[in-house]
């Protein structure tokens, strides 16, 4: 196969061949005079070769002109193929046949010309030449998303095709499909969705369902069915049909829905994999339930071989019957569940769980007596569960059902039937917590008292404390919290009570509870909250007194920091600085001093504030404070003062980020010249290039073409100097998006930069 190499490797020597060389090459076996059009074609070809050094756009035009001249003398044969043999196409321009010129050189140079005209297209050209890695897929996705943002879906689709079968490609296809759905382009969405189905089935089926539902919303049921039928696999088509049919709940849509489900059943029967077949049929059964087709749903359930799917569908049917107030149907469906258990004892857990779920639905509708009957059946089935832990969990759940149904004694008795002591204790705790949930706190306290394990008893008591607090019964909550024996839970409960007192503005009781705590970390947490409460009441001295009692260095530093900031905001700078100086945590101390400096500035004492901030070492608090001030100056339009503050930041990353922030402030305020001045101080390549492109776009919209062109050249120059092809493509994609948004036309100098990048990439 012919492979065209760029001029720098293989064409540079051809310029010297000249017309004489051509004549010798193409006419060596003939003494006939050369046609003038061929001589002109050679001249155009040589001009194209020379033009490649500066402009692929010009080169492509000249190559096409050369071909047109040559073909005027030697037309392409009707059966010409991409690869033309010398015997069929004897005319050569240099070493190339006209077929090679037409099918290889011109398409390649044309692709380069397209990339030379558009920065985003150039990014795509470079990205195509990256090795097949995740990073290549990420950059192609970035370019595709840029095209999507511009509304150029066809170019986004082209970038997506280059990504391949990776998750990045699936993500792009999904975005393209959903855009097409929103735009009403169902056929296009369908093409994208079908591509996804082959590699990412779940994504594809979900999209196909959405496309079909779009047709349904328009009343285009035949089109919805066609989408489902085109899903590829029988299982996918049946699933989409079931999903769509289940939404057609209006009376006038019933016939369409049932017809669709009939087809879905036929497709599901063709699924060769039994588990997948059961899954799809189960989905169809649930669609019948949503449509109120109980008999069909029941027939589907009874035909399912997989016990899990059969049981799940029967539960859905039964719960629907409970909601519909059909007790006889509920009884019949429960009998089917029991029959399923009797026919196969392999999965009694599923049946007992299903019965319990039905009882819970009945309790939800206030049908306590009927729920008790179902719970009794569930209890009987649960006895056949061989796995001890499963049986214990389910018995505990059934017991909770009895509790809610008003049968506390039965619930407790049932829990006591659990053989394993640990599992029995777990069930007791859950039962007590259930009593708390239904509001029977006294019964829960009595249950807690029967617990031999101190930790588990405390778990219940802490839950009761929280319930008391939710009721606003602080005194009872406090009494119970103080009576808890387990230290950890006691401290947690007392902390909750103290917090409630603080929320009601009662600091003294909260402080008293803190003094009762023997666990120092817990005590420090409560005292820290007390400090905050005192500060909320402007009682700084009381807050300071309590802060000094905190032992934990982190919490103590936090408390001192809050007090110092509070005093600084109140204008008590000397007191604030005194507190800051007493802090042992240097990092926290620097934060506090920086905040005091900012408060000085806000109070109009700018020099003192800046002096204080600058006195800090090269720390993040110093950089953050200077950055905040710089932003404030920028917002006020004082760019020079803002820049001076930024340049005083000694941490490079913070300085770069702050420069970017200040430039963005100027950009948003429409002060583009000031923004450019700040951007020029930046070092970070991609961020600097993007900001330059944003300002260039703004200049374009203002009609300031010269300024726009200058910034564009700077942005592209940054991209060109990036260290590798991937970085160049990434930067070009960012810059190209802003240029395209502004419909910015590239000037000659900008195209020259892109030309050089394309030429270098083509040589790799």
């Amino acid at each position: 196969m012919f492979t065209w190499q760029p001029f720098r490797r293989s064409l540079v020597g051809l310029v010297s061949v000249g017309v004489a060389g051509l004549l010798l090459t193409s006419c060596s076996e003939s003494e006939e005079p050369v046609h003038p059009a061929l001589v002109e074609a050679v001249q155009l070809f040589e001009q194209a070769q020379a033009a490649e050094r500066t402009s692929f756009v010009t080169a492509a035009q000249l190559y096409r002109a050369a071909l047109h001249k040559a073909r005027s003398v030697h037309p392409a044969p009707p059966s010409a193929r991409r690869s033309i043999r010398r015997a069929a196409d004897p005319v050569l321009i240099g070493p190339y046949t006209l077929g090679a010129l037409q099918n290889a050189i011109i398409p390649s140079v044309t692709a380069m010309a397209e990339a030379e005209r558009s920065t985003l297209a150039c990014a795509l050209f470079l990205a195509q030449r990256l090795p097949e890695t995740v990073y290549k897929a990420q950059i192609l996705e970035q370019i595709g998303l840029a095209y999507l943002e511009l509304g150029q879906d066809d170019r986004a689709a082209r970038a997506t095709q280059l990504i391949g079968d990776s998750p990045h490609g699936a993500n792009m296809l999904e975005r393209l499909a959903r855009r097409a759905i929103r735009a009403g382009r169902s056929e296009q969405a369908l093409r994208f969705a079908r591509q996804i189905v082959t590699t990412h089935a779940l994504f594809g089926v979900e999209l196909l369902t959405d496309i079909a539902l779009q047709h349904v919303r328009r009343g285009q049921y035949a089109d919805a069915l066609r989408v489902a039928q085109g899903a590829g696999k029988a299982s996918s088509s049946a699933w989409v049909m079931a999903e769509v049919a289940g939404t057609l709940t209006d009376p006038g849509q019933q016939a369409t829905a049932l017809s669709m489900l009939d087809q879905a059943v036929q497709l599901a029967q063709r699924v060769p994999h039994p588990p997948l077949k059961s899954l799809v049929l189960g989905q169809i059964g649930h669609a019948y339930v949503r449509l109120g087709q109980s008999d069909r749903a029941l027939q589907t359930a009874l035909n399912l071989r997989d016990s899990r799917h059969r049981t799940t569908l029967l539960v859905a049917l039964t719960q629907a019957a409970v909601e519909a107030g059909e007790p006889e149907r509920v009884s019949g469906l429960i009998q089917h569940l029991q029959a399923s258990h009797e026919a196969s004892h392999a999965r009694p857990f599923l049946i007992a769980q299903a019965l319990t779920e039905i009882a819970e639905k009945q309790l939800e509708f206030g049908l306590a007596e009927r729920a008790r009957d179902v719970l009794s059946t569930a209890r009987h089935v649960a006895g056949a569960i061989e796995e001890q832990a499963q049986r214990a969990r389910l018995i505990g759940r059934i017991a909770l059902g009895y509790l809610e149904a008003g049968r506390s004694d039965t619930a407790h008795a049932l829990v006591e039937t659990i053989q394993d002591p640990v599992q029995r204790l777990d069930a007791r705790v859950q039962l007590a917590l259930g009593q708390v949930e239904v509001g029977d706190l006294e019964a829960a306290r009595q249950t807690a008292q029967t617990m031999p394990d101190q930790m588990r008893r405390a778990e219940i008591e802490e839950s009761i404390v929280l319930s008391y607090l939710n009721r606003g019964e602080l005194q009872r909550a406090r009494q119970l919290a103080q009576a808890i024996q387990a230290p950890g839970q006691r401290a947690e409960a007392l902390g909750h009570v103290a917090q409630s007192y603080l929320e009601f503005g009662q600091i003294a009781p909260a402080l008293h509870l803190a003094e009762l705590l023997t666990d120092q970390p817990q005590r420090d947490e409560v005292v820290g909250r007390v400090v905050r409460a005192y500060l909320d009441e402007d009682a700084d001295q009381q807050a300071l007194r309590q802060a000094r009692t905190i032992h934990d260095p982190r919490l103590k530093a936090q408390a001192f920091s809050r007090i110092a900031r509070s005093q600084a905001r109140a204008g008590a700078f000397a007191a604030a600085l005194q507190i800051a100086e007493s802090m042992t945590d240097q990092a926290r101390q620097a934060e506090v001093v920086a905040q005091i400096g900012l408060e000085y500035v806000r109070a109009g004492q700018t020099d003192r504030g800046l002096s204080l901030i600058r006195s800090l070492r090269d720390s993040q608090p110093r950089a953050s404070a200077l950055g905040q001030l710089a932003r404030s100056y920028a917002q006020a339009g004082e760019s020079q003062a803002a820049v001076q503050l930024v340049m005083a930041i000694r941490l490079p990353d913070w300085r770069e980020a702050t420069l970017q922030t200040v430039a963005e402030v100027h950009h948003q305020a429409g002060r583009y010249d000031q923004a450019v001045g700040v951007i020029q101080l930046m070092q970070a390549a991609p961020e600097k290039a993007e900001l330059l492109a944003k300002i260039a776009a703004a200049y374009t919209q203002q009609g300031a073409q010269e300024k726009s062109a200058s910034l564009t050249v700077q942005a592209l120059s940054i991209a060109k100097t990036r260290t590798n092809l991937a970085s160049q493509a990434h930067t070009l994609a960012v810059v190209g998006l802003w240029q395209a948004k502004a419909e910015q036309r590239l000037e000659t100098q900008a195209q020259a930069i892109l030309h050089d990048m394309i030429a270098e990439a083509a040589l790799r």
Side-chain angles (χ1 to χ4, degrees):
M1 173 182 275
F2 172 83
T3 303
W4 178 78
Q5 295 292 329
F7 73 90
R8 293 189 183 180
R9 285 190 178 175
S10 59
L11 299 185
V12 72
L14 296 181
V15 179
S16 61
V17 173
V19 177
L22 170 72
L23 297 180
L24 289 173
T25 305
S26 58
C27 305
S28 58
E29 297 178 0
S30 173
E31 295 181 359
E32 296 180 10
V34 178
H35 196 285
L38 286 179
V39 175
E40 190 175 350
V42 172
Q43 292 172 341
L44 288 168
F45 181 83
E46 290 180 340
Q47 292 171 18
Q49 287 182 276
E52 280 193 67
R53 294 183 174 87
T54 55
S55 171
F56 292 116
V57 173
T58 303
Q61 294 170 347
L62 290 169
Y63 278 129
R64 284 192 291 270
L67 179 66
H68 178 74
K69 285 291 181 183
R71 286 298 188 203
S72 68
V73 180
H74 294 277
S79 60
R81 297 187 296 268
R82 290 186 61 85
S83 179
I84 302 176
R85 296 179 181 274
R86 184 168 181 143
D89 193 359
V91 179
L92 300 178
I93 295 184
Y96 302 121
T97 65
L98 295 186
L101 178 62
Q102 177 178 338
N103 299 318
I105 294 179
I106 290 178
S108 182
V109 177
T110 300
M112 292 179 171
E114 181 184 351
E116 194 176 87
R117 290 191 188 97
S118 160
T119 304
L120 207 50
C122 186
L124 183 60
F125 182 88
L126 267 58
Q128 287 178 257
R129 279 145 185 82
L130 290 170
E132 296 297 331
T133 62
V134 173
Y135 197 41
K136 176 180 180 178
Q138 289 174 343
I139 292 176
L140 286 169
E141 183 182 17
Q142 176 195 4
I143 295 168
L145 291 173
Y147 278 127
L148 279 179
E149 189 173 339
L150 296 168
Q152 299 179 22
D153 291 8
D154 55 339
R155 293 179 182 271
R158 178 182 169 192
T160 301
Q161 289 175 345
L162 298 170
I163 296 175
D165 296 338
S166 74
H168 297 283
N171 176 51
M172 280 300 303
L173 285 169
E174 182 183 11
R175 286 172 179 267
L176 285 164
R178 294 201 180 281
R179 277 177 66 90
I181 291 172
R182 288 193 295 272
R185 301 191 300 270
S186 298
E187 289 300 320
Q188 188 182 44
L190 187 56
R191 286 199 303 274
F192 292 135
R194 284 172 176 166
Q195 284 180 258
I196 300 177
V197 167
T198 59
T199 55
H200 299 78
L202 290 177
F203 273 167
V205 168
E206 182 182 345
L207 278 171
L208 287 167
T209 302
D210 288 347
I211 296 168
L213 289 174
Q214 183 188 56
H215 285 301
V216 167
R217 286 190 288 272
R218 297 173 178 170
Q220 301 167 340
Y221 302 122
D223 289 331
L225 184 61
R226 179 174 56 80
V227 170
Q229 290 170 336
K233 297 179 181 178
S235 57
S236 298
S237 293
W239 187 278
V240 174
M241 288 180 186
E243 285 287 297
V244 172
T247 66
L248 304 177
T249 54
D250 292 342
Q253 299 172 325
Q254 284 278 313
T256 301
L258 293 176
S259 172
M260 198 174 290
L261 286 176
D262 288 343
Q263 293 187 54
V265 170
Q266 294 174 10
L267 286 169
Q269 296 297 347
R270 287 162 38 194
V271 177
H273 190 49
L276 182 58
K277 181 177 181 179
S278 287
L279 177 65
V280 175
L281 285 170
Q283 187 70 5
I284 294 170
H286 284 286
Y288 279 130
V289 173
R290 291 194 293 273
L291 294 172
Q293 297 290 320
S294 302
D295 293 338
R296 294 195 183 200
L298 177 58
Q299 189 60 45
T300 303
L302 297 178
N303 289 335
L304 286 173
R305 294 185 178 181
D306 186 286
S307 59
R308 181 178 294 276
H309 295 307
R310 180 173 64 249
T311 302
T312 302
L313 183 52
L314 285 171
V315 169
L317 262 170
T318 310
Q319 290 179 332
V322 171
E323 293 177 9
E326 301 175 339
E328 293 182 1
R329 178 174 287 277
V330 171
S331 299
L333 290 166
I334 290 174
Q335 289 175 5
H336 281 298
L337 281 167
Q338 289 178 282
S340 178
H341 166 58
E342 293 165 2
S344 173
H345 288 275
R347 305 302 293 272
F349 175 78
L350 285 178
I351 306 301
Q353 180 178 252
L355 291 166
T356 306
E357 290 174 3
I358 293 167
E360 289 167 349
K361 175 63 73 172
Q362 290 173 320
L363 288 168
E364 184 183 325
F365 280 80
L367 305 172
E369 185 176 349
R370 291 173 182 164
R372 287 195 290 269
D373 293 337
V374 178
L375 288 170
S376 177
T377 306
R379 178 180 178 181
H380 171 72
V381 176
I385 299 173
E386 294 181 359
E387 209 280 313
Q388 193 176 69
Q390 275 191 342
R391 184 171 66 251
R393 279 200 310 275
L394 199 53
I395 287 176
R397 187 172 173 183
I398 294 169
L400 286 172
Y402 272 119
L403 181 67
E404 190 175 347
R407 289 290 187 268
S408 178
D409 293 343
T410 305
H412 283 285
L414 184 58
V415 165
E416 295 305 316
T417 65
I418 298 174
Q419 296 177 356
D420 183 83
V422 175
Q423 293 167 347
R424 183 167 61 248
L425 180 60
D426 284 341
R428 284 179 181 174
V429 172
Q430 292 304 313
L431 197 59
L433 294 175
Q435 290 172 320
V436 173
E437 190 173 340
V438 298
D440 194 352
L441 301 187
E442 291 306 314
R445 290 188 69 170
Q446 292 173 10
T447 303
Q449 293 302 317
T450 66
M451 298 287 168
D453 186 288
Q454 188 183 79
M455 297 289 292
R456 304 309 300 272
R457 181 169 67 251
E459 180 182 345
I460 300 167
E461 289 172 336
E462 186 181 357
S463 178
I464 298 170
V465 167
L466 290 172
S467 188
Y468 277 137
L469 292 175
N470 289 333
R471 292 180 178 186
E473 300 179 33
L474 271 65
Q475 189 62 29
R476 300 187 72 177
R478 176 178 177 174
Q479 291 173 352
L480 180 56
Q482 290 179 247
I484 295 175
Q485 297 298 311
Q489 277 87 353
R490 181 174 183 272
E492 287 284 347
L494 286 171
H496 289 309
V497 177
Q499 181 63 32
S500 294
Y501 273 119
L502 292 173
E503 288 171 0
F504 282 95
Q506 300 182 41
I507 299 178
L511 192 55
H512 175 68
L513 289 175
E515 293 170 354
L516 296 176
L517 292 170
T518 56
D519 182 76
Q520 191 63 49
Q522 290 286 346
R523 183 190 177 285
D524 287 345
E525 286 281 355
V526 175
V527 173
R529 296 172 191 163
V530 169
V531 168
R532 290 198 293 273
Y534 273 131
L535 290 175
D536 289 340
E537 294 189 357
D538 296 326
D540 290 4
Q541 291 305 312
Q542 291 93 323
L544 182 58
R545 186 163 48 251
Q546 294 303 323
R548 287 175 176 148
T549 68
I550 298 174
H551 287 70
D552 182 276
R554 179 183 61 85
L555 294 175
K556 189 167 191 170
Q558 287 179 355
F560 273 63
S561 173
R562 288 191 176 95
I563 297 167
R565 290 174 185 175
S566 176
Q567 292 185 329
R569 284 193 293 270
F573 295 111
L577 285 170
Q578 187 177 8
I579 292 172
E581 289 170 2
S582 69
M583 296 175 65
T584 57
D585 185 328
Q586 292 186 351
R588 183 71 67 173
Q589 183 187 58
E591 290 179 10
V592 174
V593 171
Q595 288 298 318
I596 294 170
L598 289 172
E599 292 300 334
Y600 266 125
V601 174
R602 294 187 185 106
Q605 301 183 46
T606 304
D607 291 342
R608 295 191 67 177
L610 285 175
S611 176
L612 189 60
I613 293 169
R614 288 174 183 270
S615 69
L616 296 170
R617 295 182 179 179
D618 297 341
S619 61
Q620 290 187 4
R622 180 183 187 276
S624 176
L626 289 171
Q628 290 180 54
L629 290 175
R631 181 182 178 88
S632 298
Y633 278 113
Q635 288 170 336
E638 299 181 35
S639 184
Q640 186 175 356
V643 168
Q644 288 176 349
L645 289 168
V646 176
M647 300 314 291
I649 298 173
R650 300 192 188 101
L651 300 177
D653 290 344
W654 279 83
R655 185 168 57 248
E656 281 293 309
T658 309
L659 282 169
Q660 186 174 349
T661 300
V662 170
E664 288 282 10
V665 168
H666 287 314
H667 170 248
Q668 291 167 7
R671 297 189 292 268
Y672 303 131
D673 291 349
Q674 291 179 327
V676 172
V678 175
I679 295 168
Q680 301 298 356
L681 299 172
M682 293 176 61
Q683 301 296 320
E687 293 82 2
K688 183 174 183 177
E690 181 176 9
L691 281 171
L692 287 169
K694 288 170 72 172
I695 306 299
Y699 277 138
T700 298
Q701 292 169 349
Q702 284 189 340
Q705 299 300 336
E706 289 186 10
K707 290 183 177 180
S708 175
S710 174
L711 294 184
T712 298
V713 168
Q714 290 183 51
L716 294 179
S717 297
I718 291 171
K720 184 181 177 182
T721 59
R722 298 303 304 275
T723 55
N724 56 64
L725 202 61
S727 300
Q728 290 178 347
H730 168 72
T731 306
L732 286 177
V734 172
V735 172
L737 176 59
W738 285 103
Q739 290 175 350
K741 281 181 178 179
E743 298 181 356
Q744 185 179 342
R745 187 172 175 272
L746 292 179
E747 301 296 333
T748 304
Q749 192 175 356
Q751 287 188 343
I753 295 171
L754 294 182
H755 170 274
D756 290 347
M757 295 177 73
I758 294 163
E760 290 174 9
L763 289 174
R764 299 191 184 204

